Amino acid sequence: MTAEIIIVLSILAISILLFITEWVRMDVVALLVLSSLAVAGLITPSEALSGFSNPAVVTVWAILILSGGLARTGVAGLLGRRLMRLAGDSHIRLLLIIMLTTGILSGFMNTIGVVSLFLPVVLDISRRTKQPPSKLLMPLAFAALLGGLNTMIGTPPNILITEALKDAGLRPFQMFDFAPVGISILLAGTLYMILIGRHLLPNRDPARELAAGSRDFKSLYELHDRLVMLHLPEASILHGKTLAESRLGSVLGLNVVAVIRAGHTQLSPEPAYTLNSGDRLLVGGRLEQLNELHSNHHLVLEKEGFQIEQLVSGNVEVLEARLSSGSNLVGQTLRQVDFRQIYEVIVLAIRRQEVIYRTNLESIPLLPDDVLLVQGPREKLDSLHESPDLTLSIPDSLPDYKLEKRLMIVHVPQGSSLVGKSLIESKLGDSYGLGIMGIIRNGDTHLIPGPDEILQTDDTLLVKGKQSDLRLVEGLQNLEIEQQDLPDIGELESEEIGLVESVLSPHANIAGKTLRELNFRFKYGLSVLAIWRGGRAYRSNLRDMKLQFGDAFLLYGPRARLRMLGSEPDFIVLTEEAQEPPHQEKIPVALFVMAVVLLPAIFGWLSIAITAIIGVVLMILTGCLTMEEAYRSISWKAVFLIAGMLPLGIAMERTGAAQLLANGMIGLIGGLGPVAVMAGFFLLAVLASQFMPNPAVAVLLAPIALRTASDLGISPYTLMMTVAVSASAAFLSPVGHAANVLVMGPGGYRFSDYLKVGIPLTLVVFIVVLLTMPIFWPF
């Protein structure tokens, strides 16, 4: 084994580890692989970058745009709805039509696009026929995966395997060379789901229709477990405050679902809705924080405040920091850039021309020439001097900021629930809008305490904020919990107000952010009542949960706002009513464009990469979709993944690593015959695709399959077709393919459900491959 082979195999092993553990994003892993190969001198710089111009990569992003065009014009949706209506109320007929329709369409459209398109359709049919979505959505996702095997453009592995054959000097697969095996697998998988699989699916119903015709989400989200009625007593401090000002959400983690006043019920009140004494509030969430407030005095406000000079010491300074016009901070809030954690200083105020902001600074979008009044240790301020985003200077006049009105001294009494919590756990900043400038403990003053500083009994806190915000705690403490029957969920809907489910779009760029960071309630005018994740519902403190792909959200609010959300690219609203209307008048044009793409490729007149680009141009010029929609249709993560991993295949072939691994495969099972070798490649690809992106699996196994076929003297097409098919057989886990994740929340699935249904389906596909591959692609 040469040094070059050791380096290549080391890079391969590390990339597999990173794919499995997800310590690093998969597209970043691919770029690391590309860079490592070039730095090690195993490939030339032009070869390292060749993936970005590779016809397979071009075909992948072009097909994604064409799929977006078909979806935007409503071609697939119209066909799917008409076919599914033929099923009536029969579960078997519905399964048959869902799987065959999805399977056929996914041969020509992106798999994720097909599932995203049919999710609202299938859920609406589920509600109409009163069949649990859990009985329909996993078959939808699996059918999309199976159907992608029918054509060369159905999945990225098919495209990559075809290009690998061409690069090896062999005849590449043609458009429908995959069809004989692919159709056999689709039919067998559909038959399995009808005869066996449907009995293994769970019986969970997140959106069952009530007899009265309204939707009941209790079966999945168990909302009644978290609904409670609160009463504002007479002379409440909250009287006259808006819902946003009351801090019911930020302090107590509660969603106000309805306000009952003088016999009238206001459903889904806006954040600007004003509270009155005597109001009864129907809220959702956990009551632990309210019970804590009832039983303890968190903080005691001292009568006297403190002077700004107390914020300065030998090691702590107060300076002004001006944003430059080209600052990266412009347009973002302090919370979004995590200013306190990154720079380790505190912003006391923001001056914008003649206006000075002293409170709620974390939520103010920054503008060029804004001046931040910052307090921090001298060494941190020195490092801030080096930032190109800020210019530091000594304030001309601190009294001009008039901070004294916002400076308070508060005491942590014995028995306070804050004792033993760190500053970050106390949520004094997020919940109460208070900034902790310093802590006086045992006579010593500690300025700029860290977020991990633990609060102790009898601590005295130097605080910046509004006294009125602190006094709101008293108003929250006086809220009364009513013990009475609560209204049914169905009673909380009307012609104007509704409940719907939504999931993150596969192209969403908000994964990893919280609802608080997105300012979701203010931006969309909707309340998130619950989030379904990983087999369970979360109904409390939702604003601080980081959103994940696969989450399902239960949304409540005005139907007009719900329809607006349906046009947002980051969300898929799971009802057809809220979907953005398609350009159905463009359906004939979209079909013509697809014919222009497919026919020259089928007859071999032009490369599929070229015809796909022509199709993209025609889709945009004819108005089937805009350029912005075209860009949104591309999964850039997949593009960078494939482009970054392709050079690894070049390096494996050049260094002899592919030959070494092929010899290992032959030595292990080669003596058992070509069928055993084919079975080995199938099992290896299936297992790898459960934890690695399937394009990466295809890129890694293609050179090994070609070498193995050459050494055994058998047809390379048999093994390459096996790799293409098995790399897309990701049925065993939700993380195996994005289509599985997409249906996980709306279907209420757990990880074990995929194993229960996916293992037998994988065995069915395995048997079909062993039986049909030697017939259609003999050794």
Side-chain angles (χ1 to χ4, degrees):
M1 185 183 299
T2 65
E4 289 183 333
I5 292 179
I6 293 174
I7 295 173
V8 169
L9 294 181
S10 298
I11 293 173
L12 173 62
I14 293 171
S15 64
I16 292 174
L17 176 65
L18 293 176
F19 280 135
I20 294 174
T21 59
E22 297 183 346
W23 291 337
V24 181
R25 283 173 46 132
M26 66 180 188
D27 46 350
V28 177
V29 173
L31 294 178
L32 285 172
V33 168
L34 178 156
S35 306
S36 301
L37 293 171
V39 170
L42 300 175
I43 54 176
T44 65
S46 59
E47 289 171 333
L49 301 175
S50 62
F52 292 97
S53 61
N54 189 285
V57 176
V58 174
T59 304
V60 166
W61 63 252
I63 293 298
L64 289 172
I65 295 177
L66 292 173
S67 297
L70 292 176
R72 193 68 192 89
T73 55
V75 173
L78 182 64
L79 175 63
R81 282 191 295 273
R82 290 186 176 179
L83 287 174
M84 289 182 192
R85 287 191 186 110
L86 298 176
D89 294 337
S90 168
H91 181 60
I92 292 178
R93 278 208 308 272
L94 188 56
L95 263 185
L96 182 66
I97 289 177
I98 286 176
M99 294 198 68
L100 292 181
T101 304
T102 304
I104 291 170
L105 285 174
S106 67
F108 302 94
M109 293 179 62
N110 171 248
T111 301
I112 303 297
V114 173
V115 176
S116 301
L117 194 66
F118 279 145
L119 252 179
V121 178
V122 172
L123 284 171
D124 278 347
I125 292 175
S126 165
R127 296 173 194 123
R128 177 175 57 79
T129 60
K130 300 182 181 179
Q131 297 188 40
S134 59
K135 294 289 188 182
L136 301 175
L137 293 184
M138 194 178 291
L140 169 69
F142 285 176
L145 293 174
L146 293 170
L149 306 176
N150 293 327
T151 67
M152 184 185 71
I153 62 174
T155 66
N158 291 6
I159 298 172
L160 290 166
I161 290 296
T162 299
E163 195 62 31
L165 286 170
K166 186 176 179 181
D167 291 342
L170 300 170
R171 185 188 74 86
F173 288 128
Q174 301 303 305
M175 180 65 67
F176 293 109
D177 283 351
F178 295 85
V181 175
I183 292 174
S184 301
I185 291 173
L186 176 61
L187 293 176
T190 303
L191 190 62
Y192 155 78
M193 197 61 72
I194 290 173
L195 297 179
I196 301 173
R198 66 189 179 97
H199 300 294
L200 302 176
L201 290 165
N203 188 20
R204 301 192 189 101
D205 186 358
R208 189 179 57 224
E209 290 189 344
L210 295 173
S214 59
R215 296 168 60 195
D216 179 14
F217 292 89
K218 290 181 291 184
S219 57
L220 180 64
Y221 293 101
E222 302 168 2
L223 285 182
H224 266 100
D225 293 348
R226 292 289 181 266
L227 283 179
V228 68
M229 190 73 75
L230 300 179
H231 177 251
L232 263 69
E234 294 300 322
S236 171
I237 292 176
L238 299 180
H239 176 83
K241 301 291 185 184
T242 66
L243 280 176
E245 292 169 342
S246 72
R247 298 189 180 271
L248 279 162
S250 60
V251 175
L252 301 181
L254 300 176
N255 269 316
V256 179
V257 179
V259 177
I260 303 172
R261 177 183 299 167
H264 173 72
T265 300
Q266 176 65 48
L267 298 177
S268 185
E270 295 283 337
Y273 185 86
T274 302
L275 297 173
N276 287 344
S277 295
D279 283 349
R280 297 165 63 225
L281 313 179
L282 181 64
V283 300
R286 302 175 70 92
L287 295 180
E288 281 83 348
Q289 283 130 312
L290 180 59
N291 291 332
E292 278 187 4
L293 281 179
H294 281 165
S295 59
N296 298 294
H297 289 287
H298 272 11
L299 297 168
V300 177
L301 179 63
E302 301 289 343
K303 291 184 179 180
E304 295 183 359
F306 65 96
Q307 300 299 313
I308 193 171
E309 286 75 14
Q310 292 179 254
L311 301 179
V312 180
S313 68
N315 188 45
V316 176
E317 284 188 281
V318 175
L319 296 177
E320 289 181 332
R322 182 181 296 273
L323 270 70
S324 61
S325 57
S327 172
N328 293 321
L329 305 179
V330 171
Q332 302 191 72
T333 65
L334 296 175
R335 180 180 290 117
Q336 288 172 334
V337 299
D338 206 8
F339 194 91
R340 172 75 186 270
Q341 303 301 320
I342 291 176
Y343 296 105
E344 299 183 66
V345 297
I346 295 175
V347 179
L348 302 175
I350 298 177
R351 178 161 57 85
R352 181 171 295 165
Q353 296 180 352
E354 302 303 321
V355 180
I356 296 177
Y357 300 92
R358 305 175 187 86
T359 55
N360 299 319
L361 305 179
E362 294 286 314
S363 304
I364 298 175
L366 300 175
L367 298 179
D369 293 324
D370 278 354
V371 176
L372 313 182
L373 186 67
V374 296
Q375 175 209 24
R378 186 166 282 107
E379 65 272 13
K380 300 302 179 183
L381 292 173
D382 288 342
S383 63
L384 201 60
H385 270 291
E386 301 173 5
S387 171
D389 296 316
L390 299 165
T391 303
L392 268 63
S393 61
I394 298 174
D396 292 332
S397 176
L398 281 177
D400 289 346
Y401 284 92
K402 299 179 181 178
L403 288 177
E404 286 75 10
K405 295 180 180 180
R406 296 289 184 260
L407 299 179
M408 299 175 286
I409 296 178
V410 296
H411 181 68
V412 181
Q414 186 173 3
S416 170
S417 60
L418 297 179
V419 173
K421 290 184 178 179
S422 67
L423 286 179
I424 196 167
E425 291 171 341
S426 72
K427 296 186 178 180
L428 289 171
D430 287 339
S431 298
Y432 301 99
L434 303 177
I436 310 302
M437 307 290 102
I439 298 178
I440 301 175
R441 180 179 297 157
N442 299 325
D444 296 325
T445 301
H446 307 278
L447 296 178
I448 314 293
D452 297 325
E453 181 73 32
I454 304 298
L455 294 172
Q456 300 179 15
T457 301
D458 294 327
D459 275 351
T460 298
L461 310 182
L462 306 180
V463 174
K464 182 180 73 72
K466 288 183 180 179
Q467 290 189 15
S468 57
D469 286 343
L470 195 57
R471 290 197 176 99
L472 280 177
V473 178
E474 183 180 341
L476 297 175
Q477 284 177 322
N478 292 333
L479 287 172
E480 300 169 356
I481 301 174
E482 293 190 354
Q483 303 296 331
Q484 63 177 49
D485 292 336
L486 299 173
D488 200 289
I489 298 296
E491 299 176 28
L492 301 179
E493 293 190 275
S494 67
E495 290 186 3
E496 294 80 23
I497 305 296
L499 279 163
V500 300
E501 284 182 294
S502 176
V503 295
L504 283 187
S505 163
H507 308 301
N509 57 10
I510 60 174
K513 296 183 179 179
T514 66
L515 295 173
R516 185 195 298 271
E517 291 170 340
L518 296 174
N519 206 5
F520 186 91
R521 181 77 172 88
F522 179 80
K523 182 178 180 180
Y524 298 107
L526 301 169
S527 296
V528 180
L529 299 185
I531 295 177
W532 179 272
R533 175 184 296 172
R536 60 161 293 192
Y538 295 85
R539 297 171 292 272
S540 302
N541 299 315
L542 304 180
R543 64 181 59 215
D544 293 316
M545 288 180 62
K546 290 187 180 295
L547 304 183
Q548 297 178 6
F549 182 50
D551 286 346
F553 312 97
L554 182 60
L555 304 175
Y556 181 63
R559 295 188 187 276
R561 295 294 186 96
L562 294 170
R563 285 190 288 271
M564 288 175 59
L565 190 69
S567 63
E568 287 286 326
D570 288 326
F571 296 94
I572 300 173
V573 181
L574 303 183
T575 175
E576 287 190 89
E577 174 191 358
Q579 297 299 305
E580 188 176 9
H583 303 314
Q584 291 193 352
E585 73 281 0
K586 298 289 185 180
I587 287 179
V589 178
L591 293 176
F592 171 76
V593 170
M594 288 306 295
V596 170
V597 171
L598 296 177
L599 289 177
I602 291 172
F603 291 107
W605 300 335
L606 283 172
S607 160
I608 183 62
I610 299 301
T611 62
I613 292 176
I614 294 172
V616 167
V617 174
L618 291 176
M619 281 281 190
I620 295 168
L621 291 179
T622 55
C624 292
L625 77 171
T626 66
M627 199 66 196
E628 289 72 22
E629 290 170 335
Y631 282 128
R632 284 204 303 264
S633 300
I634 300 174
S635 174
W636 292 107
K637 185 183 293 186
V639 170
F640 277 86
L641 167 71
I642 297 170
M645 293 302 293
L646 282 173
L648 183 57
I650 298 175
M652 289 175 64
E653 182 67 31
R654 176 172 300 167
T655 61
Q659 181 68 61
L660 180 68
L661 295 175
N663 292 340
M665 177 72 78
I666 294 171
L668 188 64
I669 56 176
L672 301 177
V675 174
V677 173
M678 182 177 67
F681 271 101
F682 181 94
L683 295 175
L684 181 59
V686 164
L687 292 175
S689 65
Q690 309 309 316
F691 308 103
M692 293 171 56
N694 56 10
V697 174
V699 169
L700 296 179
L701 291 185
I704 302 173
L706 287 171
R707 281 293 177 184
T708 302
S710 175
D711 291 348
L712 290 176
I714 61 177
S715 170
Y717 298 102
T718 311
L719 295 187
M720 293 292 273
M721 181 69 73
T722 300
V723 170
V725 169
S726 52
S728 297
F731 310 120
L732 302 182
S733 75
V735 298
H737 196 280
N740 295 343
V741 181
L742 196 57
V743 301
M744 188 177 187
Y749 298 120
R750 298 185 174 94
F751 196 97
S752 58
D753 295 326
Y754 289 88
L755 287 174
K756 212 182 301 181
V757 183
I759 289 176
L761 178 58
T762 303
L763 292 176
V764 168
V765 174
F766 181 52
I767 292 170
V768 172
V769 167
L770 293 183
L771 293 176
T772 60
M773 199 69 76
I775 296 174
F776 297 113
W777 298 96
F779 297 105

